[in-house]
Amino acid sequence: MALNYIWIALFVLGFLVGVLKMVLGDYEALPAMMDSTFEMSKMAFEMCLGLTGTLTLWMGILKIGEDSGLINRLARFLSPVLTKLFPEIPKDHPALGSIFMNISANMLGLDNAATPVGLKAMQELQSINKDKDTASNSMIMFLTLNTSGLTIIPVSIMAYRAKAGAADPTDVFIPLLLTTMVSTLVGLTVCSLYQRINLFNRYILLLFLVIAGFVAGLFTLIFGMDNEHVQQFCRLLTSGMILGAIMIFICSGWRKKLNVYNSFIEGAKGGFEVAVKLIPYCVAILVAVGVFRASGGLEMLQHAVERGVAAMGMNSDFVGALPVALLKPLSGPGARGMMLDCFAHFGPDSFVGHLASVMQGCTDTTFYILAVYFGSVGIKKYRYSVACGLTADIAGMVAAVFFSYFFFG
């Protein structure tokens, strides 16, 4: 219901701002808004079409893992931890393995791999959902962990900063890691309070220690490297992990004497069906964002916040990166465009450039993820998922401002 109100609000506010600008003499506002509806519809379709190949690949790979029993073995291994966060899921259910793979891909910044695995996890969660049009607790917990966007290796952010000519593209590594941890912990805590899950459990604490150990080991490996070697190391690490995972799945099927090729084809067929099903949801959210942005509403909101912050006597340097924060929950491409715009106007090594980089990577696109993931399985009632996702977003953005002032202010 909350997403419904936000979707309507984006259209209504955008239209009102456009009419106001027309009354004031700007006769290009309404045509620009109309053009944005066609542009964003096309972008949404192309986005889903571009996702088809990736979905087809990973749905096929996951089918091999499912038929070979690898996902079931992974689920049994992880069940002591994940069953505490997802108590509704049976102990050896394959959804646990898909959830772990999705979270791992997100942590490594592998968006192309994370989305197909996440959609597969949603299908498996829907299979045990008693009310097929209402989000279950497990679905909401899974979506909250996705929208909070825990990322350990921000490969794409470093690549964009390097392309923009940053002196040190990797200098956002530590503040971004700290910020995304804050957003994830806040989102996890809020969702656990809704579901009355006790996070002070030895298995959950052990998971946090493992993640902390991985981060510490990563810092140890890259300590003393120059920028070029850090980026090369991160690319090799992520590429090796994703290719290694594919080989493990294929070898697992071969070891079980499966017809690996047929298993892949059977699973891959679902990739196209899922991609087509996502088109209306992507069109809906991106067109609404495009109308609001083209109307000038986003710019007006930014100026209002800037004046309010200045009136309170506070440092308003962070306002330059505010468009990234406002668009991030709604549109990943839109927020990325705003980050690149900050690079162009302020420079990638400016305070605003650093802050925009941290904001871009500290959380994920909440409404896009809710629309796509829930839409892929026909969920219509989101319950408290929007509240959990937005709380994580707000916590991440506040932490981004704090850590950016600390490291770059």
Side-chain angles (χ1 to χ4, degrees):
M1 186 63 70
L3 183 58
N4 174 53
Y5 291 141
I6 291 172
W7 189 73
I8 293 173
L10 288 172
F11 274 110
V12 172
L13 290 175
F15 178 75
L16 292 177
V17 172
V19 171
L20 176 61
K21 292 178 73 173
M22 185 183 69
V23 171
L24 295 175
D26 184 357
Y27 298 108
E28 294 299 320
L30 292 182
M33 292 165 60
M34 182 189 68
D35 291 342
S36 73
T37 62
F38 296 110
E39 292 173 4
M40 299 306 284
S41 297
K42 180 182 178 182
M43 179 187 293
F45 176 77
E46 291 175 347
M47 185 183 300
C48 293
L49 191 64
L51 189 61
T52 304
T54 306
L55 281 171
T56 301
L57 169 65
W58 283 100
M59 290 295 189
I61 294 295
L62 289 172
K63 182 61 177 176
I64 296 173
E66 184 179 326
D67 291 347
S68 68
L70 179 62
I71 291 180
N72 285 333
R73 292 196 297 273
L74 182 62
R76 286 195 297 271
F77 176 74
L78 298 169
S79 60
V81 175
L82 295 182
T83 52
K84 301 301 179 182
L85 294 177
F86 301 91
E88 294 178 346
I89 304 178
K91 186 176 180 180
D92 296 330
H93 198 276
L96 295 175
S98 296
I99 289 171
F100 174 76
M101 292 175 66
N102 169 265
I103 294 173
S104 299
N106 277 323
M107 290 170 64
L108 296 172
L110 303 172
D111 296 338
N112 290 336
T115 300
V117 180
L119 293 173
K120 178 66 174 177
M122 286 298 292
Q123 292 176 349
E124 292 165 347
L125 290 174
Q126 180 71 333
S127 69
I128 57 175
N129 185 14
K130 296 179 180 178
D131 193 348
K132 297 301 183 183
D133 67 344
T134 303
S136 65
N137 285 344
S138 296
M139 288 178 174
I140 297 175
M141 175 63 78
F142 176 57
L143 266 294
T144 300
L145 292 175
N146 265 268
T147 58
S148 62
L150 178 60
T151 304
I152 292 179
I153 305 178
V155 177
S156 61
I157 303 296
M158 293 190 294
Y160 281 119
R161 288 184 55 76
K163 188 175 181 181
D168 184 359
T170 63
D171 60 1
V172 297
F173 186 81
I174 295 177
L176 204 157
L177 177 63
L178 295 173
T179 301
T180 193
M181 282 185 170
V182 169
S183 64
T184 299
L185 287 174
V186 170
L188 181 61
T189 300
V190 172
C191 192
S192 297
L193 290 174
Y194 270 107
Q195 299 182 11
R196 298 182 180 179
I197 295 174
N198 180 18
L199 293 179
F200 294 98
N201 177 281
R202 60 177 179 174
Y203 296 112
I204 296 176
L205 294 176
L206 178 62
L207 175 63
F208 287 136
L209 287 175
V210 170
I211 294 174
F214 180 79
V215 173
L218 191 62
F219 278 143
T220 302
L221 287 172
I222 67 174
F223 183 77
M225 291 185 183
D226 58 27
N227 300 332
E228 183 178 353
H229 284 94
V230 169
Q231 292 188 60
Q232 184 180 28
F233 171 78
C234 290
R235 285 195 298 268
L236 287 173
L237 178 63
T238 54
S239 300
M241 285 185 170
I242 202 68
L243 290 173
I246 291 175
M247 290 304 302
I248 288 172
F249 274 75
I250 292 175
C251 291
S252 175
W254 174 75
R255 183 172 174 270
K256 290 291 183 178
K257 298 182 179 180
L258 289 176
N259 188 323
V260 178
Y261 178 79
N262 285 346
S263 289
F264 176 86
I265 295 300
E266 183 182 349
K269 290 177 182 177
F272 180 77
E273 297 173 2
V274 172
V276 172
K277 194 173 183 179
L278 296 179
I279 292 175
Y281 297 93
C282 291
V283 170
I285 193 67
L286 290 182
V287 168
V289 172
V291 167
F292 182 66
R293 182 180 176 186
S295 71
L298 182 64
E299 185 178 357
M300 292 177 64
L301 180 59
Q302 179 185 355
H303 291 326
V305 172
E306 187 172 6
R307 287 194 296 269
V309 171
M312 291 186 292
M314 298 172 59
N315 189 322
S316 61
D317 290 347
F318 72 92
V319 178
L322 190 61
V324 179
L326 294 175
L327 277 177
K328 186 62 180 179
L330 297 166
S331 167
R336 183 166 57 249
M338 290 293 97
M339 177 186 71
L340 297 177
D341 186 64
C342 289
F343 290 169
H345 283 83
F346 300 97
D349 291 324
S350 65
F351 173 77
V352 173
H354 282 113
L355 176 57
S357 302
V358 178
M359 283 185 168
Q360 172 67 12
C362 71
T363 63
D364 216 325
T365 48
T366 297
F367 292 108
Y368 173 78
I369 288 177
L370 291 175
V372 169
Y373 277 46
F374 282 150
S376 69
V377 292
I379 295 295
K380 299 177 182 178
K381 300 176 183 178
Y382 295 179
R383 299 172 66 202
Y384 53 87
S385 55
V386 174
C388 293
L390 284 182
T391 302
D393 287 339
I394 294 171
M397 296 306 170
V398 172
V401 173
F402 174 81
F403 286 119
S404 293
Y405 273 120
F406 181 81
F407 284 96
F408 309 115

